Amino acid sequence: MSVLAVLIPSVLAGVRGDTVGRDVLEYAVRTFEYADSSATFAEMKELSKEPTGYMLLAYLTSRLFHDTGFFLFGSQLLVITPIYISAYKNRENAPMWLTMFAYFCMFYNNSLNLMKQSVSCAFILLCYFYIKEKHYIRAALCFAIGVSFHFSAVFGLVFILLSMFVKRRNDNTSKIILIVVYLLGIMLMKNISMFLIDNALLPEKYTLNIYAVFDLEKDAYLRLVGFNKRVFYDWVYRVLFTAAPIYFLRRVKKDFDENIKIITILGLVFYTYVLFAFRTAYGSRISNYCDYFMIVMVPMLVNAFKRKTFQQKVCSNTAVVVFLGMYWLVLFMICGWSASNFFVFRF
């Protein structure tokens, strides 16, 4: 069953047409063609500007196969596998099938588009569980894989370490100071970003998007013009995905992981500030590292229900499934969020 749970969504990702997910044609096909036409990996690196991990995956896939579909399959496999392992490690807090269902409702469609960052986010989530278990070598390996696919994984690790630091503070004064510093950091995000760019501390490919985000006169990625119902719906659900588990589990599950609570709140605050201050949902490219923790947090809602009889368990599971399903149905199927469109096969 574990093999099927990992393989089926990966195979679906591999047999999809190149139009399913905007970034497939934006960089996936091009990267694979570079790999397929290059005699060595060094030669490929001269042609492509993609992250090392992504190029390496394309190169290794091209040595065995000559079809982009296998590369897309491999990309999805690198997302699903760490998600599944994380679900297994969290199985005492929520049913594994419900954790996987949460991933499919919240992020599977995104992973068909944001392929590199999806791999990165999945490994950062698994990295947290290894840090929690004090398996630091495995955690370092997960972080290295995450960074090799998307540089922004650095922010994911920062969010994890910040949450752990806050949790360990016993006095309220220290916690308040840390919260204030975090909020100031967000409000000074433009200045910090400009400093990083001016000193060449960020990859060159990100600079244009960053400049555009802070210039409200430019047409940046996901720039909002007027009221956008789709973005508002997404934001409301982000609030619910964060607040509902924290509120309903505060008494019935006292051992609820405080770090996960803090991480999801940090992500929501970051995303909300960028959304309202700069009228763009581009902040999700950073907050995604926190959002992925909702995969293991939202399914815990079943614990807030009375679950003694079979009927009660069915009702509680159904309530969480409907809660997640409504998000998926409206945002991805009706609104077409994240370059979602009708599924087509590549053959």
Side-chain angles (χ1 to χ4, degrees):
M1 291 300 293
S2 298
V3 174
L4 291 177
V6 171
L7 282 182
I8 290 176
S10 300
V11 169
L12 282 174
V15 299
R16 76 187 191 270
D18 292 343
T19 59
V20 183
R22 185 189 65 182
D23 286 348
V24 176
L25 291 174
E26 186 73 20
Y27 60 74
V29 172
R30 182 181 67 246
T31 303
F32 188 80
E33 288 175 348
Y34 285 152
D36 202 30
S37 61
S38 300
T40 64
F41 183 63
E43 181 180 329
M44 180 192 174
K45 290 182 69 175
E46 294 180 359
L47 297 172
S48 178
K49 293 183 179 180
E50 298 301 332
T52 302
Y54 195 68
M55 286 193 292
L56 183 59
L57 176 64
Y59 181 77
L60 293 175
T61 307
S62 69
R63 299 305 95 177
L64 300 172
F65 311 100
H66 300 282
D67 189 316
T68 310
F70 290 96
F71 176 44
L72 300 178
F73 166 82
S75 297
Q76 189 62 44
L77 189 63
L78 286 177
V79 180
I80 291 290
T81 301
I83 294 295
Y84 187 82
I85 297 173
S86 299
Y88 178 79
K89 291 181 177 296
N90 196 55
R91 67 191 183 281
E92 293 183 0
N93 297 313
M96 282 186 65
W97 70 266
L98 195 53
T99 301
M100 294 303 294
F101 183 77
Y103 163 72
F104 290 126
C105 286
M106 289 191 275
F107 297 107
Y108 183 70
N109 283 75
N110 279 333
S111 71
L112 302 180
N113 181 34
L114 306 176
M115 291 166 285
K116 294 178 293 186
Q117 190 176 15
S118 295
V119 174
S120 185
C121 288
F123 273 98
I124 289 298
L125 176 63
L126 182 56
C127 174
Y128 167 73
F129 281 100
Y130 283 134
I131 292 176
K132 184 179 176 181
E133 295 170 352
K134 297 183 179 180
H135 293 157
Y136 298 120
I137 295 178
R138 296 179 187 179
L141 179 59
C142 287
F143 175 69
I145 294 173
V147 170
S148 73
F149 274 82
H150 211 278
F151 175 78
S152 59
V154 172
F155 296 101
L157 182 61
V158 169
F159 284 127
I160 290 174
L161 297 178
L162 180 60
S163 70
M164 290 181 168
F165 190 75
V166 170
K167 183 178 178 295
R168 289 173 182 171
R169 299 298 94 188
N170 294 321
D171 58 302
N172 290 329
T173 303
S174 297
K175 290 183 178 181
I176 292 173
I177 292 173
L178 287 170
I179 292 171
V180 171
V181 170
Y182 178 70
L183 293 176
L184 285 174
I186 292 178
M187 289 186 286
L188 295 174
M189 184 169 52
K190 179 178 180 180
N191 305 78
I192 295 171
S193 299
M194 293 303 106
F195 173 82
L196 294 175
I197 291 173
D198 293 340
N199 290 276
L201 297 175
L202 288 177
E204 184 180 350
K205 63 178 296 183
Y206 301 129
T207 57
L208 292 178
N209 282 340
I210 292 173
Y211 275 123
V213 165
F214 295 131
D215 188 348
L216 297 180
E217 301 302 318
K218 289 188 176 181
D219 185 19
Y221 178 60
L222 293 179
R223 176 76 75 207
L224 306 185
V225 179
F227 179 72
N228 188 307
K229 292 185 291 186
R230 181 176 64 182
V231 173
F232 180 72
Y233 182 86
D234 176 51
W235 179 76
V236 168
Y237 254 94
R238 285 172 183 265
V239 174
L240 291 175
F241 284 151
T242 302
I246 293 174
Y247 179 77
F248 288 108
L249 296 176
R250 70 191 189 283
R251 292 180 181 176
V252 298
K253 198 165 184 60
K254 297 182 184 295
D255 59 344
F256 182 17
D257 194 328
E258 291 287 336
N259 290 318
I260 294 179
K261 289 183 187 178
I262 296 170
I263 290 171
T264 53
I265 291 173
L266 293 176
L268 178 63
V269 172
F270 183 92
Y271 177 82
T272 301
Y273 176 75
V274 175
L275 179 64
F276 289 99
F278 303 106
R279 300 202 307 270
T280 176
Y282 193 72
S284 63
R285 298 305 294 266
I286 300 300
S287 70
N288 263 343
Y289 292 99
C290 299
D291 301 337
Y292 261 63
F293 283 82
M294 296 176 185
I295 296 171
V296 294
M297 185 170 80
V298 174
M300 293 184 198
L301 276 170
V302 295
N303 295 288
F305 296 86
K306 194 174 182 179
R307 292 170 54 83
K308 293 184 178 180
T309 67
F310 175 76
Q311 291 83 357
Q312 289 172 340
K313 290 180 180 180
V314 170
C315 290
S316 63
N317 290 341
T318 301
V320 179
V321 166
V322 171
F323 180 51
L324 289 163
M326 285 300 297
Y327 176 75
W328 171 82
L329 177 65
V330 175
L331 199 65
F332 295 108
M333 295 301 99
I334 297 177
C335 296
W337 181 258
S338 191
S340 296
N341 51 24
F342 294 108
F343 189 92
V344 294
F345 290 95
R346 65 185 310 101
F347 46 76

